[in-house]
Each structure stands twice: as C-alpha cells, then as structure tokens.
Amino acid sequence: MSATAPTGPRAADAPADGGAPQEAERAAEFEALVAAGESVEPRDWMPDGYRRMLIRQIAQHAHSEIIGMQPEGGWLTRAPSLHRKSVLIAKVQDEAGHGLYLYSAAETLGVDRADLLDALHRGQQRYAATFNHPALTWADTGAIAWLTDGAAVTNQAPLCRTSYGPYARAMRRICQEEAFHVRLGFDMLLALCEGTPEQRAMAQDAVDRWWLPAVALMFGPPDTETAGTREPAAALGAAVSRRAIAWGIKHHTNDELRQRFVDHVVPQAEQLGLTLPDPGIRWNDERGHYDFGPIDWEVYRGSLEEDSHTARRRIAHRVAAHRDGAWVREAAAAYAERPTAPDAAPDRTTAGEGKPTG
Amino acid sequence: MSQDQQTTTTSWEVFLRPRRGLAHQHVGSVRATDPDMALAHARDLYTRRGDPLSLWVVRSDGVHAASPAERDPFFSNARHKPYRYPEHFAPLTRGEQDDA
C-alpha cells in the first residue's frame, strides 16, 4: 500500500474498514468488554460515538501538551542557572513527547495527526485554556509545574486505566514522566521560598495567578451539583461525563478529581509556607476533605481567557512554528524521494533477532 | 497547510528493547519520511530515560495483521485444547494442588 491512499497513511493498528453484518451483536460484545474492565483495542468494533469522544478527548489532550510548552518555553533562555535551564529543557521536551505519544494514540482511531494539527491551527479543536494565561516571572515556571502538572497527574492517573488500550498505554508513559514535573515545580518554589523576601513574594505572586487556572480549567467544567450549580450547562456536562464513565473512558467526574487535587495540594502549600488564594479553603472533618470556593460555571468561564492577547499569541506562535518548519518537511520529502541506484548501500537497519544489529 | 505532511510522511511502528534480557516491545509510532528519520524521531521520543539497548522502526503499512472479521476462525487454534496445559493431567505428587 502506498502513502497516496485517499485517507492518508495510517498506523498499522488503525481500524480495518469493512462491512459489519451483525452490528447489534458487535455492540453487545463491545459493551461486555467495557463492563468487564477489559481494554478496547484499535481493530475491535466500537460505536461511532465512542470513537468520536476518544478522538476529541485525545486530540484536545495532545494539543494541550503542545501548547503547554509555550509558557515555560519562554523562560528557557532566562533560567537563573545552567542546572535550572537543563532541567527546564528536559521538562519542556517531555511535554512535546507527551503530545506525540497522544497523536500516535489518536492515529490508531483512523485520523491523521496532520488533520488534528490543522484543526488546532484553525481553532476547530481546543486545548486546555490554562495555557492562555501568561507566565510573567521565573516563579511562574515553578507554579505551572507544581499546580498545573499536579492537576494533570490527578486527572491522568485514572486515565492509565481508560478503556481504550492505546490511550491507556500513552497515559502510563505520561504519568511516569509527570511525576518528575510536579516534584520539580515544588522544588523550584521551595528554593524561592527559602530565599530572599523578594523571591518569596515572587513565588506567592505566581501561585496566586496559577491557582485558579489549575483548579478550574485543568479538570474541565463543573459536572456535579456539589459545585453549587443547577445551570443547564452543568446538566449537559454531567451527561457527557456519565457517557464517558459508562464507556470506561473516564472513571470520575471532573468535580471528584478537583476535590482530590485540592486535598493533595493544600498540605504541600503549607509545607512551602505559601497561601492558596482561596479564602474558602479549610479542612472539613465531616466530609474528610478540604472545602474550597465552588468552581461554578461563572468562575469557570471567567478563568477561560478566551480570545485574550495571550490566547491569540499561543495559536499564532504555534502556526508560525509550523509554517517556519515547512522547508524542513519539504527537504525531508525531497531526500526520501531522491533517485537511488539499485543495489546501493546495504540496509543497515536489518533487525533480525540473531544479528548483531538487533 | 496539512497537505505537505499528508503526502510525504508515513507512519512507522517503534519497537524498543528497554533493557538486557527483554525482547523488543512495541512502544508506539512516529511519522517520518525515511527510515533514518523515523529512527531519529523514535530515539528522541521513546528513549529520553532509562538505558535502552536497541530500537527498531518498521513501516506501519508493512505490518501484516489478522483482521477482526476473520478473528474467530483464525485464532480458533487455541480453543478447546485443555491438553496443552500441564494441569490437564494427573499430578506428579499425590495430593498436589494445581495453582492454575
């Protein structure tokens, strides 16, 4: 098969086309598989809605990783020491890697990553609005890694058991690496908190600005009534969450995960000696959780920063990077299509188990 | 904007031997125009940690796979043959419990 097939090249795992004579039977098989907690794999039959929900979620997740490189990436050349710079480069590289793991997982569902990037560039697919906030000081890189990545780990740990096999496998890689990010962010803030009063104030300022984007936006909109909302939008969110949970794509509501994050992070803030900018945070003995200011739709919408200066700059930067890389893609394509003499150099990538190159 | 990529890059499956004593394992895929580029991308993407021993890339469209439609007859080989397992037979020691 050549790369000129009308649908574009696909991963080997991509679903096979073909008639489905016993649709109902296959649907029952699929439901049983999910109910048993088994993985759905790329060549299995799956409902269209399941495939669409996965593509949307995985693409949005991948885009968030790619756009998420920008706030911290801006500080790479201004890191205070060579050590901090090396660490931040490693962290930003990981984010790029996470995006690529996820595009690879999405392609097993029969889409092409070039189309997904196109949709991102055109504003047809979204990314976590958290990254529409600017990283104003060096301390922001610490606050982002601690709070945003901390929220991401809380969100993503259950996704390691999501029902779609390739997504779950990508998430297991990602979660292992995110753990380093959270520790790194905490470590950066700790260094500032143990420094001069100015450094401490810088850490507090960064946490003040990144708290709401993390707690509101990294978990998605409110989807239960505990968030103190009975708006139709919340009912819709709840319906989507229920569907995702029934299919084993998600295991918890957004608000459950939000609570879990707050419970993790409040003691860590105390350890740093920093205040989280929410006067509603206090331990609730009855519930066995920390109370916090409700993230209702008004708060959620208010933190989106849609069409802000930074939001427009994020997409413009991404589009420019893609455009500026066009000559590299063209050169690579020209190189691949160069005429080669028959019986040219022997293939050095021979991979047999018994051969020394294996 | 996506046209250039669509017409030139292909998907490559990546296999990694993460450490001595293990077989190569499928870890994911990359997009590239040729095997060397695929290997370089796979190196950047899948070997940022650990002490990996070897990496393979294989064009995704070069993988020959059994399709779901023929799954049942194709894999029926494994069905209804309990005698392929040791616990199908008399225990070697009297009173022995089979774990499986």
Side-chain angles (χ1 to χ4, degrees):
Chain A
M1 191 182 88
S2 82
T4 52
T7 49
R10 287 176 171 186
D13 257 352
D17 298 318
Q22 308 102 352
E23 188 103 345
E25 196 181 309
R26 289 182 172 186
E29 261 177 44
F30 170 85
E31 297 290 341
L33 208 63
V34 170
E38 294 270 359
S39 280
V40 178
E41 295 295 345
R43 297 174 72 94
D44 290 335
W45 183 92
M46 60 187 85
D48 273 347
Y50 178 81
R51 186 187 301 277
R52 277 200 308 273
M53 182 179 274
L54 276 172
I55 291 172
R56 196 192 61 71
Q57 181 168 331
I58 299 173
Q60 174 164 344
H61 193 161
H63 298 333
S64 302
E65 302 280 0
I66 296 298
I67 297 290
M69 288 192 285
Q70 291 187 30
E72 292 164 294
W75 284 94
L76 284 173
T77 55
R78 293 176 283 171
S81 71
L82 188 56
H83 170 68
R84 291 290 179 192
K85 182 175 182 170
S86 310
V87 169
L88 192 58
I89 288 173
K91 202 250 180 196
V92 174
Q93 278 180 328
D94 275 354
E95 306 299 359
H98 297 175
L100 295 175
Y101 298 153
L102 289 162
Y103 288 127
S104 162
E107 286 188 323
T108 65
L109 291 160
V111 291
D112 191 298
R113 74 181 67 186
D115 294 330
L116 300 181
L117 281 171
D118 217 29
L120 169 68
H121 297 160
R122 291 170 196 273
Q124 291 160 344
Q125 280 178 351
R126 306 167 73 87
Y127 57 90
T130 311
F131 304 116
N132 286 341
H133 292 256
L136 300 178
T137 72
W138 167 252
D140 284 39
T141 58
I144 292 170
W146 176 48
L147 292 174
T148 304
D149 290 61
V153 170
T154 310
N155 227 343
Q156 292 168 1
L159 287 177
C160 296
R161 293 177 289 111
T162 190
S163 58
Y164 187 57
Y167 190 25
R169 291 190 282 276
M171 290 316 306
R172 287 198 280 273
R173 284 186 166 274
I174 290 172
C175 283
Q176 282 173 359
E177 299 181 356
E178 292 281 1
F180 139 62
H181 300 176
V182 180
R183 290 275 288 269
L184 152 68
F186 186 83
D187 184 81
M188 286 167 86
L189 291 176
L190 188 63
L192 291 170
C193 289
E194 289 171 346
T196 63
E198 288 81 5
Q199 287 171 326
R200 189 178 188 78
M202 186 164 78
Q204 180 64 61
D205 168 62
V207 166
D208 286 348
R209 283 180 291 104
W210 283 94
W211 169 250
L212 194 60
V215 76
L217 299 177
M218 290 301 284
F219 298 96
D223 58 356
T224 58
E225 287 195 358
T226 51
T229 170
R230 282 163 208 280
E231 277 187 68
L236 181 68
V240 173
S241 278
R242 270 199 305 276
R243 189 65 262 174
I245 290 170
W247 274 333
I249 295 176
K250 288 170 49 157
H251 294 286
H252 308 278
T253 63
N254 298 346
D255 291 326
E256 275 173 329
L257 293 168
R258 211 185 314 274
Q259 177 71 61
R260 193 179 288 183
F261 169 67
V262 172
D263 288 347
H264 281 167
V265 90
V266 170
Q268 294 171 12
E270 282 167 7
Q271 216 173 313
L272 289 169
L274 294 174
T275 311
L276 297 173
D278 177 353
I281 291 180
R282 69 177 57 83
W283 178 252
N284 183 327
D285 226 6
E286 238 170 76
R287 294 199 308 126
H289 292 289
Y290 284 95
D291 287 340
F292 58 102
I295 304 295
D296 54 25
W297 268 92
E298 209 181 314
V299 173
Y300 180 81
R301 282 201 200 94
S303 60
L304 278 175
E305 296 285 309
E306 268 180 339
D307 207 32
S308 68
H309 173 68
T310 309
R312 287 196 301 274
R313 224 178 41 180
R314 298 283 183 240
I315 286 295
H317 186 80
R318 172 70 206 122
V319 170
H322 188 75
R323 192 185 54 223
D324 294 347
W327 72 270
V328 179
R329 295 190 292 278
E330 283 158 21
Y335 180 75
E337 278 160 29
R338 73 198 182 283
T340 46
D343 306 321
D347 187 2
R348 70 168 184 78
T349 54
T350 308
E353 268 283 6
K355 295 184 184 170
T357 46
Chain B
M1 193 179 298
S2 66
Q3 283 312 102
D4 53 350
Q5 275 200 359
Q6 274 188 337
T7 50
T8 57
T9 67
T10 6
S11 177
W12 301 72
E13 301 300 320
V14 181
F15 298 81
L16 175 72
R17 189 200 295 285
R19 55 178 185 270
R20 291 189 184 282
L22 293 181
H24 285 76
Q25 292 163 4
H26 182 243
V27 288
S29 64
V30 293
R31 299 294 289 257
T33 50
D34 66 65
D36 287 328
M37 189 189 197
L39 210 49
H41 284 341
R43 188 271 318 265
D44 290 346
L45 190 54
Y46 293 104
T47 67
R48 290 196 306 281
R49 286 174 177 78
D51 188 19
L53 277 183
S54 138
L55 204 54
W56 293 347
V57 289
V58 178
R59 265 183 79 119
S60 302
D61 57 18
V63 175
H64 190 59
S67 82
E70 63 189 20
R71 186 171 56 183
D72 276 354
F74 192 78
F75 294 121
S76 63
N77 194 25
R79 302 259 170 82
H80 315 301
K81 295 187 179 68
Y83 46 83
R84 284 195 163 134
Y85 297 92
E87 57 269 28
H88 180 71
F89 302 96
L92 299 176
T93 321
R94 197 185 297 269
E96 182 182 292
Q97 293 290 318
D98 276 318
D99 291 335

